[in-house]
Amino acid sequence: KREISNFDYLMYLNTLAGRSYNDYMQYPVFPWVLADYHSETLNLSNPHTFRDLSKPMGAQTVERKRKFIQRYNEVEKNLSAQCHYCTHYSSAIIVASYLVRMEPFTQTFCSLQGGSFDVADRMFHSVKSTWESASRDNMSDVRELIPEFFYLPEFLTNANHFELGCMQDGTVLGDVQLPPWANGDPHKFILLHRQALESDYVSAHLHHWIDLIFGHKQHGSAAVEAVNTYHPYFYGDKMDLNNIKDPLIKSTILGFISNFGQIPKQV
């Protein structure tokens, strides 16, 4: 009905599902909405500009989807449960890595990393390469986005001049590398990215993504069919920790959740 924005709707759903800015482990989760990070201009009337919102990040390409289905069917011996993904789309380290150029997230990231920045090549340095990693290249990376990608240009610049290191190809990490259509301007990136979120295409398809993250495709047979199952430990509200008597197992599960993320409560 166009009475609220897609952004407001997603924030409302995140709040209903127990996500909050106050908890890095259950930070609000937002979708990748674009798949075009290489064009000089962004065409929001072309469906191919957008990410497939009906599929999780692990199934954005046919080959990647096939590999995760194969993993699910084979159930490697070292996995304790049958699932497609052993990593999560939202965790404290993912949130802190996106916001690492801003305090207090800089200190949070360093504390999660054991007191220092990560290896430069693993740091968040490029929107395009992060999309390629999460959607295609890295089988342990299925991360989604955070709300700041749609309103906060400051997190994309290294205004505090942190020494983030140097990549293997000699690139010194500074500001986040933006897609060509942003013309190197963080404000333009945020403006166009927010326009993409509020576009007709996303408005018409966003409910598919909501089904995956907050709705009926979150777990059970619908999740299996959608290639959208995660390690059981990620489903915190489905595990009755009070009935687990072994303190070692209990602390392992809690550590797992705090380090790797948690599925939102089903709305």
Side-chain angles (χ1 to χ4, degrees):
K1 292 182 178 179
R2 310 277 179 179
E3 291 178 8
I4 61 172
S5 66
N6 289 337
F7 183 92
D8 288 339
Y9 185 47
L10 287 171
M11 283 304 300
Y12 180 68
L13 287 175
N14 270 285
T15 303
L16 274 181
R19 316 290 287 190
S20 165
Y21 283 118
N22 298 322
D23 186 350
Y24 293 161
M25 291 178 283
Q26 295 194 79
Y27 208 75
V29 56
F30 269 58
W32 288 95
V33 293
L34 293 173
D36 182 355
Y37 297 96
H38 55 270
S39 297
E40 293 295 327
T41 56
L42 193 62
N43 183 1
L44 296 181
S45 62
N46 182 357
H48 295 294
T49 298
F50 297 92
R51 165 257 180 103
D52 187 342
L53 287 160
S54 70
K55 295 182 175 69
M57 289 304 292
Q60 289 297 307
T61 70
V62 174
E63 177 63 15
R64 185 169 160 93
K65 180 180 178 181
R66 184 189 64 78
K67 288 180 179 176
F68 280 120
I69 291 174
Q70 184 179 7
R71 173 193 282 179
Y72 180 89
N73 291 333
E74 288 178 354
V75 191
E76 298 166 26
K77 290 188 176 67
N78 60 345
L79 294 180
S80 59
Q82 192 175 36
C83 61
H84 293 110
Y85 313 116
C86 296
T87 54
H88 199 254
Y89 49 76
S90 176
S91 66
I93 194 67
I94 290 172
V95 173
S97 68
Y98 280 145
L99 300 173
V100 69
R101 290 163 178 79
M102 295 174 60
E103 291 289 13
F105 302 98
T106 312
Q107 295 303 316
T108 301
F109 181 84
C110 288
S111 65
L112 289 169
Q113 280 293 128
S116 63
F117 291 120
D118 198 359
V119 176
D121 287 81
R122 290 203 298 259
M123 295 278 285
F124 172 53
H125 66 277
S126 159
V127 178
K128 178 175 180 281
S129 65
T130 303
W131 159 255
E132 289 172 347
S133 172
S135 67
R136 187 188 71 200
D137 296 339
N138 187 346
M139 290 290 284
S140 63
D141 183 3
V142 293
R143 79 187 101 167
E144 293 278 7
L145 298 183
I146 54 176
E148 284 82 353
F149 272 84
F150 301 94
Y151 68 83
L152 189 70
E154 287 78 10
F155 87 96
L156 297 165
T157 61
N158 187 20
N160 293 316
H161 305 293
F162 292 119
E163 293 185 8
L164 302 171
C166 184
M167 296 171 65
Q168 288 184 343
D169 64 4
T171 304
V172 177
L173 261 60
D175 297 345
V176 175
Q177 295 171 14
L178 302 174
W181 44 260
N183 300 122
D185 182 350
H187 289 82
K188 185 174 183 181
F189 172 83
I190 295 294
L191 175 68
L192 291 173
H193 203 218
R194 182 63 175 267
Q195 286 178 359
L197 178 66
E198 305 299 340
S199 67
D200 289 340
Y201 179 91
V202 173
S203 296
H205 295 86
L206 187 58
H207 62 286
H208 295 303
W209 183 84
I210 290 168
D211 285 343
L212 294 168
I213 306 300
F214 302 108
H216 79 286
K217 293 182 180 177
Q218 192 191 74
H219 57 81
S221 59
V224 175
E225 192 175 330
V227 194
N228 192 44
T229 65
Y230 295 82
H231 193 285
Y233 287 176
F234 291 142
Y235 298 88
D237 61 335
K238 297 284 182 290
M239 301 200 67
D240 190 355
L241 292 174
N242 294 324
N243 286 334
I244 298 174
K245 303 304 180 191
D246 189 324
L248 184 60
I249 295 174
K250 194 169 186 175
S251 65
T252 299
I253 293 172
L254 288 171
F256 197 95
I257 292 169
S258 64
N259 283 310
F260 297 111
Q262 191 171 345
I263 301 287
K265 291 174 185 170
Q266 193 173 30
V267 176

